[in-house]
Amino acid sequence: MKKLIFILPILFFLNGNAQEIALLKYNGGGDWYANPTSLPNLIKFCNSNIHTAINTKPATVEPGSTDIFQYPFLHMTGHGNVIFSNQEAENLRKYLLSGGFFHIDDNYGMNEYIRKEIAKVFPEKTLTEIPANHEIFSEAFDFPNGLPKIHEHDGLRPQAFGIFEEDRLVLLFTFESDLGDGWESEEVHHDPEETRLKALKMGANIIQYAFEH
């Protein structure tokens, strides 16, 4: 494990993928492919507003593949069931402890399933709510109240939960916010421009945090 911790972060840069991101294709029946325009739109926003140079076409990777080590940022979304095998959970764990970042955005209905799978990845850790004063809420754009509310869902307050390795946030789970819907093209959900911009700004904060930590 120690060898992985020191060597794998370097691979993100040596292979030229330091500013490429990937969508996680998982098992269990959930719609991992939801929000097809969200990541391309977020990439375009980041490249225009926070000086990134991300490949405009995100990759698609599976949790058990060594391909995930090519990408410093993994994104996951969906509405339903999620299953990580033991091998997939161990692979994700190695990835995160080696410098990777994993953002899971509940598109509505994922919460009860993903929490059990996160526990497979980090059985010794607990998802904790991230306070509004954490730097991820002020990386490029200020969100003094923390995670913004984008879609109503059950009308609950938006919450950001995380897994930390020492002081580094390695896994972010955004709940009752639905950032991905806000990143989608306007004609998909007909969200007001103000709402979409708020979601994109928060997404840019997440990307910047992942690339800089």
Side-chain angles (χ1 to χ4, degrees):
M1 181 66 71
K2 289 183 179 179
K3 185 176 180 181
L4 286 168
I5 291 172
F6 287 103
I7 292 177
L8 287 174
I10 299 174
L11 296 182
F12 293 138
F13 298 91
L14 291 181
N15 65 16
N17 287 328
Q19 289 198 322
E20 294 196 32
I21 65 178
L23 176 68
L24 195 72
K25 179 182 178 180
Y26 54 88
N27 294 311
D31 53 342
W32 60 269
Y33 46 81
N35 298 348
T37 66
S38 63
L39 282 184
N41 285 341
L42 178 61
I43 291 169
K44 181 180 179 180
F45 181 85
C46 289
N47 288 348
S48 297
N49 291 276
I50 62 169
H51 311 296
T52 52
I54 306 170
N55 189 322
T56 56
K57 185 177 181 180
T60 299
V61 295
E62 297 184 6
S65 172
T66 56
D67 290 345
I68 64 174
F69 292 94
Q70 299 179 41
Y71 304 96
F73 179 93
L74 294 183
H75 175 74
M76 175 178 173
T77 191
H79 297 81
N81 195 27
V82 179
I83 296 176
F84 295 151
S85 69
N86 290 338
Q87 184 271 331
E88 289 171 337
E90 180 61 21
N91 199 49
L92 285 168
R93 178 186 177 88
K94 290 177 181 178
Y95 165 80
L96 295 171
L97 293 180
S98 301
F101 186 92
F102 190 14
H103 174 219
I104 304 168
D105 188 45
D106 183 12
N107 203 194
Y108 192 46
M110 178 186 281
N111 182 56
E112 65 176 296
Y113 304 107
I114 192 59
R115 286 179 175 271
K116 293 185 293 185
E117 303 312 299
I118 291 172
K120 291 180 183 177
V121 179
F122 287 108
E124 79 285 9
K125 296 181 182 289
T126 303
L127 275 173
T128 57
E129 186 165 3
I130 302 170
N133 63 357
H134 188 273
E135 59 191 300
I136 202 167
F137 299 118
S138 58
E139 279 285 337
F141 303 97
D142 288 329
F143 288 88
N145 298 317
L147 189 68
K149 185 76 169 176
I150 305 303
H151 278 194
E152 282 303 311
H153 290 182
D154 291 325
L156 302 175
R157 69 181 179 90
Q159 292 177 278
F161 297 96
I163 295 288
F164 291 82
E165 175 61 18
E166 296 181 349
D167 293 330
R168 184 174 73 94
L169 176 66
V170 298
L171 185 151
L172 171 67
F173 174 47
T174 46
F175 173 66
E176 276 290 329
S177 170
D178 206 341
L179 293 173
D181 273 8
W183 301 341
E184 286 251 68
S185 298
E186 188 277 334
E187 64 271 15
V188 178
H189 300 290
H190 305 288
D191 288 330
E193 180 63 22
E194 179 183 0
T195 299
R196 294 186 63 244
L197 185 58
K198 184 166 56 174
L200 288 165
K201 286 181 175 180
M202 185 64 231
N205 277 10
I206 297 169
I207 292 286
Q208 184 162 303
Y209 181 91
F211 283 1
E212 293 184 352
H213 293 81

